[in-house]
């Protein structure tokens, strides 16, 4: 199996900064898209930003100019640098990865398959 471990969440004051990290480990052949999502109580989970293997990022309007995503493919790790945080950024932030695995299914020879994995979520609270 594959596990995504997140770190870096916490409580910050408005205008502050946080750096989130997410490291993937396990049976990994490669990782395609990685992304950060967030969810507040009573609201749907929303995409913050995603990033391709080659480093092309697409940001939601709410994060443009304030957040920066990056990844280290050698470490299977993705980062989210957040600046100018506001109370509206308060949410549980989830790491996502589309992982390529080399495995066997239904007794067939090993081949490449793609699976979606999620981190456990890390709380980001912005409050004075």
């Amino acid at each position: 199996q594959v596990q995504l471990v997140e770190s870096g969440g916490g409580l910050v004051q408005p205008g502050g900064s946080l750096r989130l990290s997410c490291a993937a480990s396990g049976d990994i052949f490669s990782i395609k898209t990685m992304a950060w999502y967030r969810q507040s109580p009573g609201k749907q989970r929303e995409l913050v930003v995603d990033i391709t293997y080659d480093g092309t990022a697409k940001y939601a309007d709410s994060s443009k100019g304030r957040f920066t995503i990056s990844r280290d493919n050698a470490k299977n790790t993705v980062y989210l640098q957040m600046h100018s945080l506001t109370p509206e950024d308060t949410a549980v932030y989830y790491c996502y990865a589309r992982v390529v695995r080399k495995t066997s299914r239904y007794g067939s020879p090993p081949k490449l398959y793609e699976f979606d994995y999620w981190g456990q979520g890390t709380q980001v609270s912005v409050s004075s």
Side-chain angles (χ1 to χ4, degrees):
Q1 191 61 273
V2 173
Q3 184 177 21
L4 274 54
V5 179
E6 299 162 316
S7 62
L11 175 64
V12 297
Q13 295 183 335
S17 301
L18 280 175
R19 181 179 175 86
L20 306 182
S21 299
C22 173
S25 62
D27 183 19
I28 300 173
F29 183 82
S30 65
I31 302 179
K32 291 189 173 181
T33 299
M34 302 187 79
W36 290 96
Y37 288 75
R38 68 184 183 185
Q39 186 170 23
S40 300
K43 297 183 178 180
Q44 293 182 296
R45 185 173 300 185
E46 64 175 354
L47 175 68
V48 179
V49 58
D50 60 23
I51 184 170
T52 67
Y53 179 88
D54 293 334
T56 301
K58 292 186 179 296
Y59 295 87
D61 290 339
S62 61
S63 61
K64 289 181 179 178
R66 301 188 300 122
F67 296 177
T68 301
I69 190 172
S70 61
R71 63 187 289 172
D72 185 337
N73 292 331
K75 298 180 179 179
N76 288 327
T77 300
V78 64
Y79 307 92
L80 182 65
Q81 181 66 59
M82 303 185 291
H83 296 293
S84 302
L85 289 166
T86 74
E88 293 187 354
D89 294 316
T90 297
V92 177
Y93 284 70
Y94 296 91
C95 177
Y96 162 87
R98 189 164 182 83
V99 178
V100 179
R101 301 177 63 193
K102 186 177 182 180
T103 186
S104 298
R105 300 182 67 184
Y106 311 112
S108 62
K111 61 193 305 183
L112 301 180
Y113 295 92
E114 297 182 9
F115 301 89
D116 295 331
Y117 292 95
W118 292 88
Q120 77 285 355
T122 183
Q123 178 70 49
V124 171
S125 298
V126 185
S127 176
S128 60

